[in-house]
Amino acid sequence: MQYTNIIKSPIGALTVSSDGDNITGLWIEGQKYFAPGLGDDVAEKSIPLFKDVRKWLDIYFSGNEPDFALPLMPEGTPFQKAVWDILGRIPYGKTVTYGDIAMQYGVKNKGKRTSPRAVGGAVGRNPISILIPCHRVIGKDGNLTGYAGGVSKKRLLLQSETPLGRCGM
């Protein structure tokens, strides 16, 4: 059984899903690859874990780094999960490139190489937006590149993590 709930946020409605113990999805309304993997056995219900998600998001959208982690259980291929694990380690307020992630993947996998393009495919299919911070990945030239939730929302998320962004930049 999967449970879902809608959470209002400064970037629009967010749909969060859980198996009751872990967060299995968080999608921005209208994003590409919205809610893959949610089957027919879904109920909209407020469970205690969703209160923790709201608290985490309230802290995050107030311009602060949340000081607690949520239990996350994204579904994907082993490669996608490896990339999402790397995403989860990007520090608050920092950005990395797809190439950086490809290099980190190689280091973690004993020299097994992957391309920035393959990393981009995995990043784009991240089922737990914001909590797994795929918005912190930028192009090698420093430009904001595609984001399943839209580049304008990516910009807002990145600005909320920087002191200048919180001052209205």
Side-chain angles (χ1 to χ4, degrees), residues 21-55:
D21 296 315
N22 303 287
I23 301 303
T24 57
L26 193 148
W27 303 277
I28 302 166
E29 183 177 35
Q31 86 171 51
K32 193 174 185 181
Y33 310 117
F34 186 87
L38 281 182
D40 295 332
D41 199 17
V42 177
E44 185 161 338
K45 181 179 178 183
S46 185
I47 61 172
L49 184 54
F50 292 156
K51 290 178 184 170
D52 294 337
V53 174
R54 278 192 182 86
K55 180 179 177 184

Side-chain angles (χ1 to χ4, degrees), residues 86-169:
I86 294 167
L87 292 177
R89 298 174 193 284
I90 303 170
Y92 178 87
K94 303 292 183 188
T95 57
V96 300
T97 67
Y98 296 95
D100 294 335
I101 294 173
M103 286 192 327
Q104 288 180 43
Y105 177 85
V107 169
K108 285 183 73 171
N109 290 281
K110 298 178 176 72
K112 184 176 181 182
R113 300 178 69 112
T114 191
S115 71
R117 184 176 300 268
V119 166
V123 169
R125 286 174 177 76
N126 170 19
I128 307 178
S129 295
I130 306 170
L131 302 177
I132 298 176
C134 54
H135 60 278
R136 296 180 187 150
V137 183
I138 60 174
K140 69 178 179 180
D141 57 3
N143 287 331
L144 299 186
T145 55
Y147 182 61
V151 173
S152 63
K153 290 179 179 156
K154 180 176 189 166
R155 180 176 290 108
L156 290 171
L157 291 168
L158 289 172
Q159 287 175 342
S160 75
E161 293 184 17
T162 64
L164 291 176
R166 291 192 293 269
C167 295
M169 181 180 147

